[in-house]
């Protein structure tokens, strides 16, 4: 409550205001027949300092097009380590023939507090179907876990395959490190 002409404020509100972080995502759909989808898609970013929570993309994802969306995250994610992408209503999407989506890649750009883009994107290549293709000849899981293109991945020979933390029944795509 105001005292001596000063306006009262909650320290938690002040902290949350300064901890707001924005990400611009450039989502590119592949260029094959039936590659687009009208299903709602969710994306969750995971970094070494936190997670964005599930964010719903409410836009048409058309064949051979790139759409840009903005995420607002409360708190710093740190270095991005993985991205989960899939259908909001996976059961419905899997039951509907041709609702699959051919995701080519997602580029993420961190935006600073003055809404300027930090120049170097983190690229998450996918180049696979999420759900079933229109022809039914190709399909992938309704949830995919993607790893950044430039992230180094250590492989232990003879080790049993492991799932990423919280990936449940998701497919995991490992990508080569760009040289």
């Amino acid at each position: 409550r105001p005292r001596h002409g000063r306006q009262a404020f909650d320290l938690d509100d002040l902290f949350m205001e300064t901890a707001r972080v924005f990400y611009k995502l450039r989502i590119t759909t592949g260029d094959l027949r039936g590659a687009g989808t009208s299903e709602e898609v969710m994306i969750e970013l995971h970094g070494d300092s936190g997670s964005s929570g599930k964010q719903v993309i409410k836009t048409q994802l058309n064949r051979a097009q790139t759409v840009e969306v903005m995420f607002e995250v409360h708190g710093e994610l740190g270095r991005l380590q993985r991205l989960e992408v899939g259908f909001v209503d996976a059961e419905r999407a899997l039951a509907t023939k041709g609702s699959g989506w051919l995701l080519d890649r997602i580029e993420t750009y961190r935006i600073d507090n003055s809404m300027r883009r930090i120049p170097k994107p983190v690229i998450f290549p996918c180049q696979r179907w999420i759900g079933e293709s229109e022809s039914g000849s190709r399909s992938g899981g309704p949830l995919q876990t993607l790893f950044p293109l430039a992230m180094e991945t250590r492989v232990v020979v003879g080790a049993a395959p492991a799932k990423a933390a919280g990936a449940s029944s998701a497919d995991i795509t490992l990508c080569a490190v760009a040289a």
Side-chain angles (χ1 to χ4, degrees), residues 39 92-100 132-137:
E39 295 290 328
R92 185 177 75 125
L94 291 176
T96 306
K97 183 175 169 114
S99 65
E132 188 174 308
S133 69
E134 190 174 278
S135 67
S137 63

Side-chain angles (χ1 to χ4, degrees), residues 53-79:
K54 293 179 181 174
Q55 307 276 334
V56 177
I57 307 301
K58 296 183 179 185
T59 187
Q60 184 79 22
L61 298 165
N62 296 316
R63 173 184 175 178
Q65 287 189 342
T66 299
V67 298
E68 293 184 352
V69 295
M70 290 288 287
F71 268 22
E72 180 180 354
V73 178
H74 293 283
E76 193 62 52
L77 299 182
R79 183 173 163 218

Side-chain angles (χ1 to χ4, degrees), residues 3 8 15 62 86 94 108-109 117 153 164 172:
R3 247 196 266 170
F15 175 76
N62 296 316
L94 291 176
T108 62
Y109 297 86
R117 183 175 82 184
T153 305
I172 297 178

Side-chain angles (χ1 to χ4, degrees), residues 29-89:
T29 298
D31 189 13
L32 292 178
R33 182 175 163 232
T37 189
S38 58
E39 295 290 328
E40 282 189 336
V41 171
M42 75 87 193
I43 295 175
E44 185 170 9
L45 297 171
H46 297 274
D48 57 11
S49 299
S51 173
S52 68
K54 293 179 181 174
Q55 307 276 334
V56 177
I57 307 301
K58 296 183 179 185
T59 187
Q60 184 79 22
L61 298 165
N62 296 316
R63 173 184 175 178
Q65 287 189 342
T66 299
V67 298
E68 293 184 352
V69 295
M70 290 288 287
F71 268 22
E72 180 180 354
V73 178
H74 293 283
E76 193 62 52
L77 299 182
R79 183 173 163 218
L80 295 181
Q81 296 181 328
R82 72 180 195 276
L83 178 150
E84 292 177 354
V85 58
F87 294 123
V88 171
D89 188 348

Side-chain angles (χ1 to χ4, degrees), residues 2-14:
R3 247 196 266 170
H4 306 291
R6 295 182 187 165
Q7 184 172 347
F9 58 90
D10 187 343
L11 287 178
D12 290 336
D13 291 341
L14 180 63

